[in-house]
């Protein structure tokens, strides 16, 4: 049976055009029916907002939270003529979509007040920082808002790896990723090719495929065609690079690392044949900071946002929704009514608010955990990683406690100064790091970096900006995390919403911890709101 997408291809109609037509003919009911018939529901509309038609004039929707999720809903619903009120506790929009630059203020719960002192032009994306090419929904808005993008180098083979905690000759040694990748693959391919040739795998591989597979391995692992040995390759770097004249002339090739040393170091475990879906190249970033996305939305929906307004109570009264709001500057409370409410407040915060949800709904909210996550930006007065080591962007990997990676900036290459990400840690380790003072956090990051770039890292350091997302008041965690059981039992309950209340935000998606999840969950829920209010 031909799939619906094949049919669309054959008819030259895009899925979007088809849905627009269904909407025009039969309204949201037919639209949803068509989506369901394809087994896609509206969750599969990941490339563009749902093509909603009709009018929302005379109807009011209150959106709780002016993060990317809330602003997506405000932007799209307002196009239909709805009156939108966005209630936002902070004095700015964007939620987690923030970039720290000179003057950015952050005060964690129970922590010190931090004011960013980076130089003009220096910044750190301490929340979201990269957009994979397959997040079409995020890219939909960067295009629509004409936000310039640049490459984010997520995978630099010239970057270093250093593991101290493993046994063997490579412990505490700094090597380049291309050395590890070339040697691991080369040795493994050599073993497999020789096993094939000696007949050890005749049960598994047909005679016809055997030589084809050996050819593949020779090519993949840079093996010597004559004896199937791996002796190194130019791609793992030279002892001395080729150049002009007699010296360096053709250069001096490098020797492979020892196979057993590599295995013991466990460095090979870092790499996969390809990245997982959400880490794949091409990876992009907005020029000048990720908050360009938040600003793009805010430019269009800012007039609908009530800032420094903390939601303290939500009630579904059957024919309308009321939301009680506290002004965080004056302390005054007020109430706002609407025909429908879309709540994008993270569950970690929402479950502490007086919502009037059913016990079943409240219990479902409790099952979603929130990740402890820390990041630190370090401004360096010299881009020594580029100037002295030839590393342009990408991640240096280390097993130093609480670091995971040192990520080098993918912007302003060959500039004078640079701001790198000094650590990115999660869960128990993040809890530990977040207990340090701001100065101690910076010192911890510098100690780790100094091991990789001795004499340069600490000497180049100028200024730090760190965050522990689980200690940020209106987030209380980096992102929602679901157990299999919660996904199965709680997600459908929360997705369904209650009465005139629906939930959206990254937590209401299978793209948790990504802006695309916030956007796509909003797209999904605004179609349902429009359907309900159009009925
Ligand atoms: C460290 C880190 C790295 C990340 N990396 C990436 C990445 O590389 N790429 C990517 O695409 N995504 C990334 N993400 C995820 C991305 O930032 C989020 O998925 C997305 O920004 C969430 O948007 P949201 O609208 O769902 O929630 P939020 O942005 O949290 O918005 C919720 C809003 O609700 C407001 N609010 C909370 N409580 C109240 C209240 N009581 N009253 C009123 N308002 C309230 C908040 O102030 C906030 O503005 C990262 C996130 C983190 C933390």
């Amino acid at each position: 049976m031909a799939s619906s997408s094949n049919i669309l291809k054959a008819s030259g109609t895009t899925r979007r055009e088809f849905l627009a037509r269904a909407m025009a003919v039969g309204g949201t009911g037919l639209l949803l029916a068509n989506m369901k018939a394809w087994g896609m529901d509206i969750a599969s509309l990941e490339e563009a907002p749902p093509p909603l038609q009709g009018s929302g004039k005379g109807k009011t929707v209150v959106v709780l939270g002016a993060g990317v999720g809330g602003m997506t809903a405000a932007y799209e619903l307002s196009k239909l003529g709805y009156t939108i009120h966005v209630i936002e506790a902070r004095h700015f929009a964007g939620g987690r979509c923030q970039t720290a630059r000179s003057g950015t203020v952050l005060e964690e719960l129970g922590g010190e007040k931090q004011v960013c002192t980076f130089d003009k032009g220096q910044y750190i994306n301490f929340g979201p920082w990269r957009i994979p090419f397959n997040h079409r929904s995020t890219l939909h808005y960067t295009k629509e808002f004409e936000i310039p993008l640049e490459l984010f180098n997520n995978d630099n083979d010239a970057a270093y790896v250093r593991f101290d905690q493993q046994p063997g000759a490579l412990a505490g040694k700094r090597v380049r990723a291309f050395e590890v990748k070339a040697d691991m693959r080369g040795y493994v391919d050599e073993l497999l090719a020789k096993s094939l040739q000696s007949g050890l795998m005749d049960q598994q591989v047909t005679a016809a495929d055997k030589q084809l597979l050996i050819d593949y391995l020779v090519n993949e692992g840079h093996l010597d065609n004559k004896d199937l040995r791996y002796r190194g390759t130019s791609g793992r770097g030279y002892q001395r690079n080729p150049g002009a004249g007699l010296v360096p002339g053709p250069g001096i090739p490098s020797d492979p690392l020892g196979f057993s040393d590599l295995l013991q170091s466990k460095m090979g475990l870092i790499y996969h044949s390809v990245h997982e879906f959400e880490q794949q190249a091409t990876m992009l970033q907005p020029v000048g900071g990720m908050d360009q996305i938040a600003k793009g939305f805010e430019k269009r929906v800012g007039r609908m946002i009530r800032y420094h307004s903390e939601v303290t109570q939500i009630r579904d009264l059957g024919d309308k929704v009321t939301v009680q709001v506290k002004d965080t500057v004056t302390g005054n409370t007020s109430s706002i009514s609407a025909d429908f409410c879309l709540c994008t407040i993270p569950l970690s915060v929402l479950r502490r608010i007086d919502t009037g949800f059913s016990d079943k709904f409240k219990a479902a909210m409790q099952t979603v955990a929130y990740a402890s996550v820390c990041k630190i930006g370090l401004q360096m007065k010299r881009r020594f990683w580029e100037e002295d080591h030839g590393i342009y962007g990408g991640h240096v990997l280390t097993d130093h406690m609480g670091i995971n990676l040192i990520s080098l900036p993918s912007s302003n290459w060959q500039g004078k100064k640079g701001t790198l990400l000094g650590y990115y840690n999660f869960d128990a380790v993040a809890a530990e790091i977040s207990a340090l003072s701001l100065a101690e956090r910076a010192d911890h990051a510098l100690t780790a970096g100094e091991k990789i770039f001795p004499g340069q890292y600490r000497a180049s350091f100028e200024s730090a900006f760190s965050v522990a997302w689980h200690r940020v008041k209106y987030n209380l965690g980096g992102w929602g995390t679901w157990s299999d059981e919660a996904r199965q039992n709680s997600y459908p309950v929360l997705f369904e919403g209650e009465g005139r209340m629906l939930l959206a935000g990254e937590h209401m998606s299978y793209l948790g911890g990504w802006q695309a999840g916030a956007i796509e969950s909003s797209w999904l829920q605004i179609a349902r709101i429009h359907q309900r209010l159009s009925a």
Side-chain angles (χ1 to χ4, degrees):
M1 200 177 77
S3 73
S4 53
S5 55
N6 283 341
I7 294 167
L8 289 181
K9 257 186 232 151
S11 68
T13 309
T14 66
R15 195 165 70 186
R16 188 168 159 70
E17 283 162 357
F18 185 85
L19 294 175
R21 275 184 220 159
M23 182 73 196
V25 178
T28 42
L30 184 58
L31 171 77
L32 295 172
N34 270 302
M35 290 169 166
K36 279 208 157 53
W38 290 346
M40 55 187 267
D41 270 303
I42 14 189
S44 299
L45 256 184
E46 73 277 8
E47 291 176 18
L52 304 178
Q53 288 175 14
S55 172
K57 282 218 161 53
K59 289 164 198 141
T60 306
V61 176
V62 62
V63 176
L64 309 184
V68 169
M71 289 196 287
T72 297
Y75 179 60
E76 297 300 340
L77 284 176
S78 63
K79 285 184 194 167
L80 289 168
Y82 283 99
T83 300
I84 305 291
H85 301 291
V86 185
I87 311 297
E88 171 54 51
R90 290 174 162 113
H91 66 277
F92 59 89
R96 271 164 275 185
C97 181
Q98 294 186 46
T99 298
R101 47 175 75 79
S102 177
T104 301
V105 178
L106 180 71
E107 197 166 350
E108 292 171 8
L109 291 170
E112 306 155 64
K113 183 171 174 180
Q114 193 178 180
V115 183
C116 183
T117 58
F118 292 164
D119 286 10
K120 193 166 179 283
Q122 297 297 318
Y123 66 84
I124 190 75
N125 288 320
F126 65 100
W129 54 322
R130 46 194 171 179
I131 309 171
F133 78 98
N134 49 34
H135 283 186
R136 305 292 296 271
S137 49
T138 310
L139 295 172
H140 169 83
Y141 287 114
T142 52
K143 184 161 196 292
E144 183 152 326
F145 300 163
E146 297 179 348
I147 297 168
L149 299 176
E150 62 192 353
L151 282 177
F152 176 99
N153 192 349
N154 201 41
D155 195 7
N156 185 348
D157 281 352
Y160 292 125
V161 190
R162 177 179 157 147
F163 282 1
D164 289 22
Q165 320 284 343
Q166 302 300 333
L170 293 180
K173 288 227 166 76
R174 183 182 78 183
V175 294
R176 304 249 188 191
F178 48 53
E179 297 178 74
V180 179
K181 287 184 180 179
D183 296 350
M184 276 304 294
R185 288 190 182 186
Y187 288 131
V188 171
D189 291 347
E190 175 182 334
L191 272 180
L192 188 50
K194 285 181 172 167
S195 304
L196 283 159
Q197 199 180 49
S198 62
L200 274 174
M201 308 198 74
D202 285 356
Q203 298 290 317
Q204 285 83 22
V205 183
T206 65
D209 286 346
K210 190 161 145 177
Q211 191 53 48
L212 292 173
L213 181 51
I214 291 175
D215 292 346
Y216 167 81
L217 293 165
V218 166
N219 181 61
E220 211 265 344
H222 298 276
L223 309 185
D224 187 325
N225 215 355
K226 292 189 208 82
D227 60 2
L228 302 182
R229 271 196 67 188
Y230 173 70
R231 292 186 174 82
T233 168
S234 63
R236 72 177 308 290
Y238 283 81
Q239 262 184 66
R240 182 146 187 205
N241 285 348
L246 297 178
V247 179
I252 306 173
S254 60
D255 295 325
L257 304 166
F259 191 24
S260 174
D261 297 337
L262 267 171
L263 289 171
Q264 287 182 58
S265 76
K266 300 208 174 134
M267 287 177 179
L269 294 181
I270 306 168
Y271 306 107
H272 310 271
S273 56
V274 289
H275 277 303
E276 284 170 0
F277 180 71
E278 56 187 22
Q279 293 292 335
Q280 284 182 328
T282 303
M283 198 67 94
L284 299 155
Q285 64 179 8
V287 175
M290 188 59 88
D291 65 347
Q292 299 308 308
I293 293 185
K295 289 185 196 309
F297 274 112
E298 194 174 19
K299 194 168 148 192
R300 288 155 181 89
V301 304
R303 67 196 148 80
M304 304 168 206
I305 303 176
R306 271 176 66 173
Y307 295 97
H308 47 80
S309 299
E310 187 181 308
V311 173
T312 53
Q313 190 192 68
I314 309 165
R315 284 286 180 277
D316 181 352
L317 303 181
D319 59 341
K320 62 178 179 175
V321 179
T322 62
V323 177
Q324 215 169 78
V325 173
K326 186 178 98 186
D327 186 313
T328 60
V329 177
T330 63
N332 295 340
T333 55
S334 58
S335 174
I336 188 160
S337 297
D339 297 304
F340 221 99
C341 174
L342 181 69
C343 179
T344 69
I345 295 174
L347 296 176
S348 46
V349 179
L350 183 63
R351 54 196 174 211
R352 295 166 181 227
I353 296 176
D354 173 9
T355 52
F357 284 131
S358 69
D359 288 347
K360 184 180 171 194
F361 202 87
K362 283 182 182 162
M365 288 202 290
Q366 291 296 344
T367 61
V368 184
Y370 270 73
S372 301
V373 182
C374 295
K375 273 185 167 185
I376 191 166
L378 304 172
Q379 180 181 301
M380 298 289 181
K381 64 180 169 213
R382 189 170 79 83
R383 295 168 83 102
F384 54 84
W385 56 93
E386 293 176 2
E387 290 170 17
D388 303 340
H389 303 266
I391 307 175
Y392 294 85
H395 314 303
V396 170
L397 304 177
T398 162
D399 62 357
H400 190 100
M401 193 285 272
I403 303 295
N404 287 332
L405 53 78
I406 294 171
S407 186
L408 304 166
S410 288
S411 55
N412 197 24
W413 281 320
Q414 297 195 325
K416 190 166 176 284
K417 297 189 175 186
T419 300
L420 53 78
L421 181 71
Y423 59 61
Y424 189 13
N425 54 49
F426 314 94
D427 304 323
V429 172
E432 212 173 313
I433 295 291
S434 66
L436 301 175
S437 69
L438 299 178
E440 286 168 342
R441 291 180 193 177
D443 187 62
H444 184 78
L446 291 172
T447 302
E450 186 65 19
K451 279 183 170 175
I452 304 198
F453 298 102
Q456 297 181 315
Y457 206 80
R458 201 177 271 280
S460 304
F461 169 68
E462 288 188 324
S463 174
F465 186 88
S466 65
V467 63
W469 279 99
H470 46 290
R471 292 180 54 176
V472 172
K473 184 170 180 191
Y474 295 113
N475 283 103
L476 302 180
W479 45 76
T481 60
W482 298 80
S483 64
D484 290 347
E485 199 187 337
R487 214 27 125 174
Q488 201 182 339
N489 300 324
S490 305
Y491 186 70
V493 173
L494 296 176
F495 171 73
E496 200 44 44
E498 277 196 345
R500 288 172 176 260
M501 302 266 322
L502 289 179
L503 304 186
E506 60 82 21
H507 50 283
M508 292 309 304
S509 75
Y510 278 83
L511 296 165
W514 293 94
Q515 294 170 105
I519 293 169
E520 289 174 39
S521 70
S522 271
W523 284 353
L524 192 61
Q525 299 296 42
I526 60 171
R528 296 179 72 206
I529 291 173
H530 187 50
Q531 185 191 27
R532 291 269 300 272
L533 291 180
S534 304

